[in-house]
Amino acid sequence: MIRLYNIVKDIWDVAALELDRIFHDGGVVLLFCVATLIYPWIFSYAYQNECIRNLPMAVVDDSHSVESRRFASKLDATPEVNICYKCNTIEEAHRLMQQRAINAIVYFPKDYGTRVVTGETARACLFCDMSSFLYYRSVFTAANAVLVDEMQFIEADRYSRAGLSGESRAQLVQPIQVDDVKLYLPNGGFTSFLVPALLVLVLHQTLFLGMCVLYGTTREKRLIVRSVPARLRHQGILYRVTVGRALAYLIIYLPMTAINLLLLPRIFNLPHIGNPMSIVVFVIPFLLAAIFFSMTICSFVRNRDAGIVVCIFFSVILLFLSGAIWPQSNMPRFWLYFSYLFPSTFGIQGFIRINSMAATLSQVKFEYLMLWLQAVVYFFTASGALHYLLHLRSGRHVSERM
Amino acid sequence: MNRFIRSFRRELQQIVIHPRYLLLLTAGLVFSFIFFLTFMREGQPQKLPIAIVDQDGSYLSRRLCHEIDATQGVRVVAVYQNHNQARDAMQRQRIFAFLEIPKGTYNDVLGFKRPHISLYANNAYLLGGSFSYKSLATMTKLASGAVQREILRKKGYSEKAISGLIQPVELDTHAISNPTTNYQPYILTTMLPGIIGVMVLLLTIFQLHHWLQNPYERLHVSGGDLAASIFGKLMPYTLWFSLMGIVGNLVFFGFCHYTMLGSFWMLSLTMLLFIFAVQGMALFLTGLLPEMHMSISIGAIYGMLSFTMSGFSYPAISMPGGMQAFGYIFPLRHYYLAYVDIALYGSGFRQYMPHIIALILFLVPGIIGIRLIRSRLKREGVLDRVEMEALKQQAEQGVLESEIV
């Protein structure tokens, strides 16, 4: 009983010491508490419009026909694009494109109207700005919707002229009807798709970065040994230091996680159809894995400056590795297995599925178990790293203990 | 000028003596180059996993299944008996979309009863969802067209009339400067300069703080001239990282053949100005926030936001007005806009001049940063001491000279 009390007390002492260390460093507090909250806010605010609306485009109409005008006005009526210019030549429109005044051009050749009337296949051309894929996506969606509508309209007209009407015409126009359902994010919004992934990534990266700053400074000031209470420096009970420190980070990060993953999706009306309990249960191994992972890496980062710089740009790589953007099924094998090293991969995958797709815990079993596995493995590596730093490093640190 | 060169040479010596830092960052950069070049080598996700819920089990449904599997965009990984199985597989992230063919579809087709088939796509994964949706939508349209064709043939229409009836309008889509709608050039050409930018930003802040912790020696080298000392110290990194950026662009436009309609040298110049601009911002942050951890943390936040605010993934025109204006304080935004004008549209200089000027204007915060640092050093009495030492040295030299005379 006393033994247990001792263990708990030791762990708590270390946690208190670590918390003290954290709150004495303004930069670390900024990263842990302010950055964690400010990033999601900025992302949600910047991306709040979800989709692109009213992209300016130009129409070049060489056919001057009723049919081409009908197509253009239908295009203008879509929410995605807005016809701002009517140009006489394609060169003129291209110049506008170069001046970045428009993002797309639709061109009707001379024979467009005649071909529609004579029952041939009429051709129109669409030119699209590729400086951002979302432009392409919006223009393509709008043009495709108009195309389908226009095709059905013309087909119906042609069948009427062939003497078919009513149900028999409908049978020919659309012998098989396709209902499409876009699941989970019916509007296909960019925000709802990306921000949930970023919410998790921000937690992972601020934790790592803050620890990098903290541990780097400790190392720089040669305080590594002194940062561990003397009575806990023995080999057998060193794990209490690891657990105690992890506890300190958990104390800070549990409320942060609750705000980020449970509250923010509701405030910003991001997808939140998941069971909050599942998220809580899922997030615990994620936080543990992230904490022990960061501890391990930070113990080995010799050069704090380089460590921080690498960590920052690695955020982008981690986002891609997580499979939230580029599908996991299409990653090269090597990078897929490489991504398994990072808690963010499973954290992001699991959170998107629980939060945005209402998956149950059993449906994210693989991610959940992998996170526990990571937590355990990184716990041992973190303890090992601490042991190495305290006992195996050369004289300089031994003398520091004096 | 002489003072600047002395400071510059001193920093080069430092780098040669302690190359590990720069080597580490360069290795990180090379790693991310290789990562992005190999990671998305498909260009566009292909053979995405999808499923078919085949309740009909007819000739038509099986044929549709085979034909869908044969397309480039998707592959059928499973055929399920009911909707719930497919939905479960989707939530387990095994498939991105599924097509549901209800019982009696083939019979209904034969009986002209216009059956419904349903297409479900997962939009929570934007890329996987929308690409698999596109492939499946095309295939279902073709299936419908095939049925139409069959009926019209039996009604005795000629092939030409049939194709006019089935497809009255065709839309040729031309994706300007990226004809294969390849994802790589779109991501890489801005992402990698962005990564270099973040690196340079933080590196500069660190370097300046280390410099500030012990400014005597360096100030001494440059004869007490603060600006020359700082410029001389930062210049080796400016040159090195601009070179890295230009080599990266060389790989993109030379080796990978991404579209480059304008002048490569103009883009290289833009890269150089971009690095200068980032360093200007770093100087400003260092001058503004004397505490190292503060400026590093703020620098990290600012650097990470540059990817969002540059507007290459989510266009700035769809952001709220305040955010659009906010975006202009990020050099990456100007680099991206200049890149689009130069490489994708081959526009004239007049078109992208504003972005170039904007990049040059980032030197203003840099100059303000130097002023702030100068007043700080003055307050701490560092500058006076260095000046005194310089004077003393001059006086000694004067004494020496007079002795010689």
Side-chain angles (χ1 to χ4, degrees):
Chain A
M1 198 60 205
I2 291 171
R3 207 178 125 80
L4 190 70
Y5 170 77
N6 276 342
I7 294 178
V8 173
K9 187 176 180 312
D10 285 346
I11 290 176
W12 178 248
D13 284 351
V14 174
L17 209 69
E18 190 77 0
L19 282 173
D20 192 52
R21 210 149 65 105
I22 293 167
F23 283 103
H24 270 94
D25 192 323
V28 176
V29 175
L30 191 73
L31 281 172
F32 278 173
C33 302
V34 183
T36 315
L37 297 180
I38 220 167
Y39 272 128
W41 187 82
I42 294 181
F43 289 138
S44 313
Y45 183 65
Y47 296 150
Q48 64 176 330
N49 292 341
E50 293 262 9
C51 303
I52 302 184
R53 294 275 179 252
N54 294 327
L55 265 183
M57 71 180 288
V59 64
V60 182
D61 190 357
D62 272 354
S63 95
H64 299 289
S65 57
V66 181
E67 290 75 17
S68 64
R69 272 198 290 276
R70 191 175 59 218
F71 196 106
S73 66
K74 276 183 187 171
L75 206 53
D76 196 20
T78 59
E80 285 91 357
V81 298
N82 199 0
I83 292 182
C84 299
Y85 295 92
K86 290 194 167 63
C87 303
N88 287 322
T89 60
I90 197 87
E91 285 77 20
E92 196 185 330
H94 188 241
R95 250 195 313 281
L96 283 172
M97 189 89 129
Q98 267 195 337
Q99 287 162 10
R100 325 285 307 123
I102 51 170
N103 296 98
I105 304 168
V106 64
Y107 169 67
F108 300 100
K110 226 181 188 96
D111 60 351
Y112 181 84
T114 338
R115 276 173 171 266
V116 172
V117 176
T118 54
E120 287 172 82
T121 302
R123 281 195 179 79
C125 288
L126 181 73
F127 298 89
C128 185
D129 181 9
M130 291 300 285
S131 61
S132 172
F133 254 64
L134 289 188
Y135 291 143
Y136 172 71
R137 192 162 166 257
S138 282
V139 173
F140 188 81
T141 314
N144 217 34
V146 172
L147 181 71
V148 170
D149 186 60
E150 188 68 357
M151 283 215 309
Q152 285 179 2
F153 183 82
I154 297 171
E155 269 178 68
D157 184 51
R158 284 181 187 176
Y159 289 126
S160 306
R161 274 187 273 163
L164 293 159
S165 64
E167 184 58 24
S168 59
R169 186 177 73 189
Q171 281 162 6
L172 271 168
V173 174
Q174 239 188 345
I176 301 175
Q177 298 185 67
V178 182
D179 309 322
D180 45 26
V181 185
K182 306 238 169 96
L183 285 171
Y184 310 122
L185 312 177
N187 61 357
F190 190 75
T191 324
S192 316
F193 138 76
L194 191 63
V195 175
L198 291 177
L199 290 177
V200 181
L201 189 67
V202 161
L203 289 173
H204 185 271
Q205 287 305 91
T206 51
L207 184 66
F208 183 77
L209 203 61
M211 251 192 238
C212 224
V213 173
L214 206 62
Y215 279 54
T217 315
T218 315
R219 181 188 281 260
E220 207 163 67
K221 292 183 179 161
R222 311 228 161 130
L223 288 176
I224 293 180
V225 177
R226 220 171 298 164
S227 68
V228 180
R231 66 189 148 92
L232 293 175
R233 285 180 203 157
H234 310 295
Q235 243 171 53
I237 55 171
L238 204 55
Y239 73 90
R240 292 180 199 172
V241 179
T242 319
V243 175
R245 286 185 176 170
L247 183 66
Y249 295 109
L250 264 185
I251 289 172
I252 297 178
Y253 263 80
L254 274 176
M256 288 295 152
T257 312
I259 294 174
N260 260 5
L261 302 190
L262 295 175
L263 203 62
L264 282 184
R266 284 161 178 81
I267 293 176
F268 287 112
N269 204 19
L270 298 167
H272 54 267
I273 56 173
N275 180 355
M277 266 329 280
S278 306
I279 294 179
V280 172
V281 174
F282 182 81
V283 130
I284 287 167
F286 167 70
L287 278 181
L288 287 175
I291 289 169
F292 291 131
F293 168 78
S294 308
M295 266 189 203
T296 308
I297 303 289
C298 290
S299 308
F300 285 109
V301 173
R302 279 278 182 80
N303 191 325
R304 174 192 56 177
D305 304 9
I308 290 170
V309 179
V310 170
C311 161
I312 292 281
F313 82 76
F314 225 78
S315 312
V316 185
I317 292 183
L318 284 184
L319 183 63
F320 275 87
L321 278 177
S322 74
I325 296 179
W326 191 260
Q328 270 183 325
S329 58
N330 292 58
M331 282 182 201
R333 284 285 123 190
F334 173 77
W335 292 121
L336 184 66
Y337 293 130
F338 181 70
S339 76
Y340 288 174
L341 289 176
F342 304 98
S344 61
T345 306
F346 302 114
I348 291 174
Q349 282 287 339
F351 179 67
I352 291 182
R353 269 189 260 160
I354 297 176
N355 180 59
S356 311
M357 298 163 62
T360 56
L361 267 184
S362 72
Q363 284 169 325
V364 293
K365 195 169 67 190
F366 175 67
E367 281 76 13
Y368 189 62
L369 292 178
M370 284 304 271
L371 280 174
W372 274 117
L373 180 71
Q374 277 184 336
V376 171
V377 169
Y378 288 131
F379 167 72
F380 283 113
T381 53
S383 303
L386 191 65
H387 174 71
Y388 166 79
L389 286 178
L390 287 181
H391 298 289
L392 300 178
R393 297 215 31 215
S394 53
R396 154 175 120 205
H397 287 271
V398 177
S399 64
E400 184 195 298
R401 216 187 297 176
M402 297 297 123
Chain B
M1 199 60 202
N2 216 350
R3 292 166 166 183
F4 163 74
I5 288 171
R6 262 182 290 168
S7 173
F8 179 72
R9 206 182 292 153
R10 183 80 186 87
E11 187 62 30
L12 281 186
Q13 279 169 0
Q14 276 290 317
I15 292 173
V16 173
I17 298 168
H18 301 289
R20 199 166 70 187
Y21 191 16
L22 199 62
L23 280 180
L24 217 82
L25 290 187
T26 311
L29 208 54
V30 171
F31 173 82
S32 42
F33 261 70
I34 294 171
F35 172 76
F36 281 110
L37 281 172
T38 52
F39 189 71
M40 293 182 286
R41 56 167 179 227
E42 278 178 10
Q44 208 187 81
Q46 282 163 4
K47 290 283 171 198
L48 286 161
I50 59 129
I52 307 258
V53 178
D54 186 3
Q55 289 168 332
D56 195 27
S58 61
Y59 160 74
L60 179 84
S61 67
R62 275 196 300 273
R63 184 158 162 207
L64 195 58
C65 181
H66 281 303
E67 278 174 8
I68 287 172
D69 197 33
T71 59
Q72 187 66 26
V74 292
R75 72 194 143 97
V76 180
V77 291
V79 177
Y80 294 115
Q81 299 302 314
N82 60 51
H83 181 85
N84 286 343
Q85 284 174 330
R87 182 81 175 237
D88 180 61
M90 198 183 252
Q91 278 169 323
R92 286 174 197 273
Q93 176 61 20
R94 293 199 183 125
I95 53 171
F96 283 106
F98 62 91
L99 190 69
E100 196 173 325
I101 305 168
K103 203 168 169 59
T105 301
Y106 189 41
N107 276 340
D108 287 352
V109 169
L110 293 179
F112 295 119
K113 284 181 188 153
R114 301 213 290 146
H116 283 262
I117 60 177
S118 310
L119 201 171
Y120 296 84
N122 180 0
N123 256 2
Y125 291 87
L126 200 63
L127 225 62
S130 54
F131 275 109
S132 51
Y133 170 78
K134 206 170 141 189
S135 288
L136 282 180
T138 311
M139 285 314 288
T140 50
K141 217 187 286 172
L142 286 178
S144 183
V147 176
Q148 264 179 311
R149 186 178 291 267
E150 212 50 42
I151 300 169
L152 289 171
R153 262 192 203 136
K154 283 175 189 154
K155 284 190 188 282
Y157 283 87
S158 72
E159 283 300 317
K160 196 180 165 210
I162 289 176
S163 63
L165 276 170
I166 293 178
Q167 179 130 43
V169 187
E170 221 174 62
L171 193 65
D172 291 334
T173 309
H174 301 267
I176 293 176
S177 293
N178 188 353
T180 51
T181 55
N182 186 343
Y183 225 68
Q184 248 182 348
Y186 151 64
I187 295 276
L188 263 64
T189 45
T190 314
M191 186 71 91
L192 285 172
I195 287 177
I196 296 177
V198 172
M199 254 186 194
V200 173
L201 181 84
L202 290 173
L203 173 85
T204 312
I205 296 178
F206 273 124
Q207 296 277 332
L208 285 171
H209 275 289
H210 291 319
W211 181 87
L212 280 170
Q213 276 160 13
N214 182 18
Y216 294 108
E217 191 257 333
R218 285 312 185 77
L219 276 173
H220 203 71
V221 168
S222 57
D225 187 339
L226 184 72
S229 176
I230 288 180
F231 279 129
K233 183 171 175 59
L234 298 184
M235 193 54 75
Y237 302 101
T238 318
L239 296 179
W240 177 249
F241 283 100
S242 307
L243 185 72
M244 293 298 290
I246 292 167
V247 169
N249 278 346
L250 214 63
V251 173
F252 297 153
F253 301 109
F255 181 71
C256 302
H257 299 289
Y258 299 162
T259 310
M260 166 52 86
L261 296 178
S263 144
F264 180 80
W265 299 113
M266 243 5 251
L267 192 66
S268 303
L269 177 73
T270 315
M271 177 66 86
L272 183 70
L273 291 176
F274 167 67
I275 303 287
F276 268 121
V278 168
Q279 287 184 318
M281 279 315 278
L283 263 169
F284 180 66
L285 286 177
T286 316
L288 203 64
L289 305 159
E291 209 209 320
M292 177 164 175
H293 284 186
M294 254 346 198
S295 45
I296 285 296
S297 302
I298 297 279
I301 294 174
Y302 173 78
M304 276 318 297
L305 279 180
S306 65
F307 292 103
T308 304
M309 301 312 299
S310 70
F312 81 98
S313 57
Y314 183 82
I317 55 159
S318 292
M319 292 181 191
M323 276 287 162
Q324 284 184 40
F326 182 53
Y328 285 107
I329 64 163
F330 293 88
L332 189 62
R333 167 131 191 86
H334 301 283
Y335 176 85
Y336 160 70
L337 291 174
Y339 152 75
V340 170
D341 284 336
I342 296 170
L344 299 186
Y345 288 101
S347 314
F349 182 69
R350 207 191 300 168
Q351 176 62 31
Y352 55 82
M353 193 175 58
H355 312 310
I356 302 276
I357 291 175
L359 284 176
I360 294 171
L361 280 181
F362 275 96
L363 293 180
V364 174
I367 292 166
I368 296 174
I370 290 181
R371 296 220 141 225
L372 288 170
I373 291 172
R374 188 198 300 277
S375 61
R376 193 155 94 220
L377 287 179
K378 225 171 217 164
R379 253 201 322 273
E380 291 166 6
V382 175
L383 281 182
D384 292 340
R385 221 179 105 183
V386 173
E387 240 165 65
M388 286 284 284
E389 273 173 23
L391 279 177
K392 218 193 283 173
Q393 217 173 19
Q394 269 178 11
E396 274 170 16
Q397 266 180 356
V399 171
L400 272 175
E401 273 164 23
S402 62
E403 273 175 7
I404 289 165
V405 168

